[in-house]
């Protein structure tokens, strides 16, 4: 049995064409079922639905042989012991710093002000501001980061941005582009050795449909 860990939403939806290339069709719609283990048309392949931030953990400890997860999650939660053969070029977005309209971020940085930054990406934010030499107090949040500058909780946020519509709707502006993000295939190292043939087949099929960078 090959077990693939996916999170619901963007990653699941954008993985379906990759699975199709490997001849794999998921038999349930995760938005319509409460099942957490989904069968596929291949009796020896199943999909487990986990939180995006849990995908590396499932794959690292062998709860799943393979998984698909964002570079943001891998950087923030670690990727110890994971083989990362492919950038799948899906669920593309960027990690950015955003502030309230009218907040003079450039002046604050220039003056060496201490900024309060709210984010769920504490490790990525800490690295970024340390490299830039900006002093920050980081506040860890688990959601709705956009609210932090609007309520006075923070001067800035570090969050994923795709179209920019969420920032715009909340009167926030992007002031730094930290890095581009896309989703990666991650593989359990032991599974790669023990189930080499079926796992290689899936990696090769995925590779055949990934657009060259
Ligand atoms: P947008 O309004 O298109 O800029 O999307 C921003 C919102 O969607 C933010 O709340 C982000 O956290 C979330 N988001 C954007 N891209 C992704 C992605 N690839 N994976 C997960 N969440 C994302």
């Amino acid at each position: 049995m090959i077990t693939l860990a996916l999170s619901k939403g963007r990653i699941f939806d954008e993985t379906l064409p990759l699975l199709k290339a490997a001849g794999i069709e998921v038999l349930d719609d995760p938005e319509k079922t409460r099942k957490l283990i989904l069968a596929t048309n291949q009796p020896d392949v199943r999909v487990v639905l986990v939180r995006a931030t849990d995908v590396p953990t499932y794959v690292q400890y062998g709860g799943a042989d393979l998984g698909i997860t964002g570079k943001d999650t891998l950087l923030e939660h670690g990727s110890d012991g994971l083989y990362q053969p492919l950038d799948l070029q899906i669920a593309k977005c960027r990690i950015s710093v955003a502030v309230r309209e009218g907040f003079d971020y450039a002046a604050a940085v220039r003056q060496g002000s201490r900024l309060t930054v709210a984010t769920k990406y504490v490790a990525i934010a800490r690295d970024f501001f340390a490299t830039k030499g900006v002093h920050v107090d980081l506040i860890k949040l688990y959601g709705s980061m956009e609210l932090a500058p609007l309520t006075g909780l923070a001067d800035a946020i570090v969050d994923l941005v795709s179209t920019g519509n969420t920032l715009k709707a909340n009167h926030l502006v992007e002031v730094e582009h930290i890095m581009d993000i896309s989703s990666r295939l991650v593989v359990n190292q032991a599974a790669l050795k023990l189930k080499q043939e079926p796992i290689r087949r899936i990696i090769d099929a995925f590779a055949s449909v990934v657009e060259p960078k």
Side-chain angles (χ1 to χ4, degrees), residues 14-24 68 88 90 205-206 209-210:
E14 295 188 29
T15 298
L16 292 181
L18 301 172
L19 288 172
K20 200 165 176 205
I24 300 166
I68 296 178
L88 297 170
I90 60 169
F206 282 8
V209 279
V210 173

Side-chain angles (χ1 to χ4, degrees), residues 78-152:
S79 53
D80 282 357
L82 296 176
Y83 173 53
Q84 293 183 50
L86 279 179
D87 176 352
L88 297 170
Q89 308 270 331
I90 60 169
K92 284 191 188 178
C93 57
R94 54 192 184 271
I95 289 197
S96 297
V97 181
V99 299
R100 209 169 8 90
E101 283 170 7
F103 180 86
D104 196 342
Y105 173 80
V109 168
R110 209 169 41 239
Q111 289 157 9
S113 310
R114 202 172 176 94
L115 292 176
T116 307
V117 178
T119 186
K120 70 177 175 189
Y121 298 105
V122 172
I124 293 171
R126 186 182 296 116
D127 267 12
F128 174 75
F129 287 110
T131 306
K132 228 179 128 64
V134 174
H135 295 290
V136 289
D137 292 313
L138 294 169
I139 298 180
K140 167 95 183 181
L141 289 179
Y142 294 88
S144 302
M145 256 82 76
E146 297 84 4
L147 211 47
L150 305 178
T151 53

Side-chain angles (χ1 to χ4, degrees), residues 10 72 91-93 146 159-167 181:
R10 210 172 309 217
D72 52 321
K92 284 191 188 178
C93 57
E146 297 84 4
D159 195 10
L160 299 181
V161 181
S162 179
T163 59
N165 290 340
T166 305
L167 293 180
I181 296 292

